[in-house]
Amino acid sequence: MASRFELLVFDWDGTLLDSAGAIVDAIQSACSDLGLPIPADERARHVIGLGLHDALRYAVPNLPAERYPLMVERYRHHYLRHDHELQLFDGAAAMIAELAAAGFLLAVATGKSRIGLDRALHNSGLGTYFHASRCADECFSKPHPQMLEELMDELSVAPERTLMIGDTTHDLLMGRNAGVACLAAGYGAHPAAALDALAPLARLQEIEEVAQWLRINA
């Protein structure tokens, strides 16, 4: 039977990389450094997947514009302290290798910067599997559809042959805005009810469930 999808686009943080905790800690530690109110875990987790400036605007809404550069510097300082310790979710590397061997086109659409994604792809050993990627400092931040639109254009794949896989409502809304189907990773940053409200094809609770769903349905 022919595959339903040709292009599989993955979010990175919270979908393939177990980094949500480190991102929340970096946001909260940066706020502490600057003497700002520390956002609750839920508020900090909500911004995962957004470009950094959009994330900080939500997490720290009263931060004056002139203090953004310092906030960004402190966030990066705290995140990079743990960056080398972060691990892919169990089974993520095997899943990506299996999908590549099966002939799917693979791509990444992430809220990370280009430097950050390139470092993550290198550290994880997954870089050779992905045919293209888009980052938040190259495109409008999620949920704007630009990342997906550019990936589909670069790889010459139609929306109906593209699947977005992510752990946040930002991912699912980006997919909706681009006219592509979505699969929700329920083990990541956003709660199940918020993901379900956007009607993904399925919500899976472990990487192996994602891999099995793709074997059967993609």
Side-chain angles (χ1 to χ4, degrees), residues 40 44 55 135 143 166 168 170 176 208:
C135 300
T168 70
H170 314 308
R176 175 183 290 181
E208 181 49 42

Side-chain angles (χ1 to χ4, degrees), residues 69-144:
L70 181 57
M71 181 72 183
V72 169
E73 186 278 325
R74 297 316 298 163
Y75 168 84
R76 287 180 171 150
H77 166 79
H78 290 291
Y79 183 82
L80 290 172
R81 283 192 305 144
H82 302 290
D83 186 51
H84 65 285
E85 303 168 358
L86 299 178
Q87 300 291 321
L88 297 169
F89 287 105
D90 289 344
M95 176 182 68
I96 293 299
E98 178 184 338
L99 293 170
F104 290 101
L105 292 173
L106 302 178
V108 173
T110 178
K112 300 180 90 64
S113 66
R114 170 52 60 188
I115 290 174
L117 179 62
D118 286 348
R119 183 175 61 247
L121 289 172
H122 173 77
N123 290 345
S124 67
L126 295 186
T128 58
Y129 292 114
F130 290 100
H131 298 83
S133 59
R134 287 296 185 278
C135 300
D137 57 353
E138 300 167 336
C139 298
F140 290 115
S141 181
K142 303 172 185 177
H144 193 283

Side-chain angles (χ1 to χ4, degrees), residues 3-19:
S3 295
R4 177 180 177 185
F5 300 108
E6 181 180 0
L7 171 60
L8 306 179
V9 183
F10 287 87
D11 169 59
W12 189 261
D13 289 302
T15 300
L16 295 176
L17 187 72
D18 187 5
S19 55

Side-chain angles (χ1 to χ4, degrees), residues 184-187 192 203-207 209-210:
Y187 49 82
R203 173 174 50 81
L204 294 315
Q205 290 304 116
E206 297 179 356
I207 282 281
E209 291 183 17
V210 175

